[in-house]
Amino acid sequence: MNDKKTFQIVVGVDGSPPSHRALEWAITEARLRDGHLRVVTGWRVPPATVDQMGTAREIEAVKHLAHQQQHRALIGVRLEGVNVTREVHEGSAAAVLLNASQDADLLVVGSHGYGGLTAALLGSVSNHIAHHALCPVLIVRPRPHAVAHP
């Protein structure tokens, strides 16, 4: 009997370039460890945009957008040899990722996503995750820009 536990990696994907880099890193790591990769996206309707008449329509539109962002992020990414599942959950990105990673061996996120003003006011997702995750966290930074030398 084989009691070996499969290495579980959760990666947060929001469609931003940093989350795409985190996805690439997580895929490579899952391939190296013969692990399981869970691609996770969180979504929520901004409270200021919802009125009583448009709630259902707003919710469906934002949910659909989250699914599209995740789908687009996976286009052209080499997934051969990696066991991958995709998940899209309602909630803030930090809460969704913390919940998804409760039994994970590693949580991977980009250093900056599409946080905008909300992230500036409430703190970044990566910062929140680094302080509250129950597993190790890897925050993938952007590649440094090439510097032209005279």
Side-chain angles (χ1 to χ4, degrees):
M1 177 163 28
N2 185 358
D3 290 336
K4 181 182 172 189
K5 179 182 176 273
T6 301
F7 195 83
Q8 300 285 324
I9 301 173
V10 171
V11 61
V13 173
D14 68 0
S16 67
S19 80
H20 191 268
R21 184 150 153 71
L23 175 63
E24 290 173 339
W25 196 98
I27 290 168
T28 301
E29 189 68 13
R31 191 173 285 122
L32 291 171
R33 292 181 178 264
D34 194 26
H36 175 243
L37 179 63
R38 293 173 55 202
V39 179
V40 178
T41 302
W43 65 272
R44 67 177 173 183
V45 177
T49 65
V50 178
D51 62 21
Q52 293 297 330
M53 300 304 288
T55 302
R57 187 175 57 246
E58 295 283 338
I59 290 171
E60 283 307 309
V62 174
K63 182 178 177 181
H64 180 71
L65 178 61
H67 280 277
Q68 282 184 320
Q69 286 175 327
Q70 188 181 82
H71 176 74
R72 275 187 244 130
L74 291 168
I75 292 173
V77 176
R78 274 194 51 237
L79 296 173
E80 298 82 21
V82 179
N83 180 4
V84 178
T85 56
R86 298 168 38 173
E87 304 172 27
V88 178
H89 299 285
E90 182 178 7
S92 71
V96 165
L97 291 170
L98 289 172
N99 187 50
S101 67
Q102 287 181 0
D103 296 326
D105 296 298
L106 180 64
L107 173 57
V108 182
V109 294
S111 61
H112 301 287
Y114 287 136
L117 181 59
T118 303
L121 296 173
L122 302 177
S124 75
V125 171
S126 59
N127 184 44
H128 186 78
I129 287 170
H131 286 91
H132 299 286
L134 300 176
C135 66
V137 175
L138 178 84
I139 301 170
V140 180
R141 295 179 49 83
R143 287 186 177 103
H145 296 291
V147 178
H149 295 285

